[in-house]
Amino acid sequence: MFDPVIAPSGTLLGLLQRGRGDGTLHALTAPRAEALAALNHCVLHDPRHDWQVENRSLYYARLYLDLNGELDAVEAHLFGAEDVLDTEESRTGLALAVLGHLASYGRRDALELLRRYAAHGSNWAWALDELALRDDDAGLRALAAPVLARFPADPEGDAELAAAVRDAFEPRPWRLWAEDARASIATRVRTAQEAGCFDRWQRQMRPTGPRPGWSVRAVFEWAQQGVERGAALHVPAARCLVAVAGPEDRPEILQAARTGTDGARCTALRYLADGNDPDALDLVEAAVADGTPVVVEAAVDSFERMRSIAAVQRARRWAQRPDALGAAAGRVLACRGGAQDSDLVLGALREAARVEGPDAPTLWTLVDGAGRLGIACAAPVLRHVYRETASSHLRGRAARALAATDPSFATGFAVECLWDCEETTREIAARHAETGDIRVVERLRRLAADPAEEDEVQTAVRSRFGPDAQTM
């Protein structure tokens, strides 16, 4: 999947792509045709950088409801010729998830689209999972025949069916079909269920990797084999060292951390850092100076995991370095530094936003650190990150940090956050938004009554209802 093209944050499309609350508020005041065009663009061209983590489906479904939007564009997207040519889940997953939410809100047209797609579409398993949560037994039973027809009645088809049953996210349809009154369907599904269980048992009986009795050298060799195959195994290899290494093996591990192969060096650095070995910090610094990119990344990651006072003290020395270790030092201070480290964390935050932009991965930790340390001077940078980032998760972190650093948050960003796509961001807003704004009161009431809303958000909303909250 290619990285999506995100429109500027000041446009309606850009706001909706980011999942910002202002996107909904602007869409509801824009011409309906313009708002629906932007909404359809987002649903049909998933704007998320990480579609498996970031939330958009409920956000877009609610906007379809508010706009009384038709689903013609979604239908054309699902059943077009491209559905046969491009079977990646990322092409249709967002649209199917939006239909699932709409079905739960009672939109019959969304339910019918899901049923049709489960019977005929390429990403049928996703549609079936959505229906498993929303459809009745009769609707699911009607899909048994078309779904099973996808799998030829031969050994290869039976194996594919067993894998589909085994890997199903929602087992409800398969359980219904296993009890189907039609013997041909029930027998085949039960056979597939049994085959899937047997396959899982066989895989558990054929473990790969280290065995009891391995030596330190064998663990290093296994880690290096992973590097040669393009698989990073130094993390599990370091855990293996905990089990097989004794005090007498320390010299060999130290030598591997200095001059070993990439696999051995990464493994040794991780093992020593996790154990707070007194030589770990010097070895990390040396690895960053002369290691390959793989070793440098492992060394930096190992350093960031360290929880010792010595690691924090070393981070204060390294924070001004213009390299990966300096950036990691800023993140360590953001996580574990004290009030005396505020300037260093603020400097790292400003530099990351200036040089790497509002979507820089390092900002996640630095934004959290600014909030944890209550760095009031960070508010302008946090507001910039909030507005511009394409990551709804990072925006939520920025909102949390602003709640701790910006006195204007309750009457500013907190209001729009009530419409945000991420439930954690809506929860922050529900706890902080100033109820003097009539929009806040109305939105809190709607969230409290919405059965699709997350429990944490509704708990936060209920915390605003009480003897002293007469306006609510």
Side-chain angles (χ1 to χ4, degrees), residues 180-191:
D180 198 279
R182 294 162 288 185
S184 59
I185 290 176
T187 300
R188 195 172 185 206
V189 172
R190 284 198 295 268
T191 301

Side-chain angles (χ1 to χ4, degrees), residues 4 57 69 85 89 111 126 128 177 179 191 288 333 370 425 464:
S57 55
L85 302 175
E89 288 185 336
L111 181 65
W126 191 313
L128 187 61
W177 300 343
E179 304 298 329
T191 301
V288 171
L333 295 177
T425 307
R464 305 298 295 276

Side-chain angles (χ1 to χ4, degrees), residues 354-371:
R354 183 184 67 84
V355 175
E356 300 181 54
D359 293 314
T362 191
L363 285 174
W364 290 52
T365 304
L366 295 173
V367 163
D368 285 349

Side-chain angles (χ1 to χ4, degrees), residues 296-316:
V296 171
E297 182 179 356
V300 169
D301 289 344
S302 298
F303 166 59
E304 286 194 62
R305 289 173 53 83
M306 298 182 72
R307 300 292 189 269
S308 64
I309 295 175
V312 174
Q313 292 172 340
R314 192 69 66 96
R316 291 174 181 140

Side-chain angles (χ1 to χ4, degrees), residues 4 13 49 51 133 161 166 190 195 216 252 289 313 378 381 446 457 472:
L13 177 59
H49 284 283
W51 64 274
L133 298 173
L161 176 59
R166 181 194 67 217
R190 284 198 295 268
V216 168
E252 181 180 357
Q313 292 172 340
V381 184
R446 181 169 177 178
V457 178
M472 299 293 291

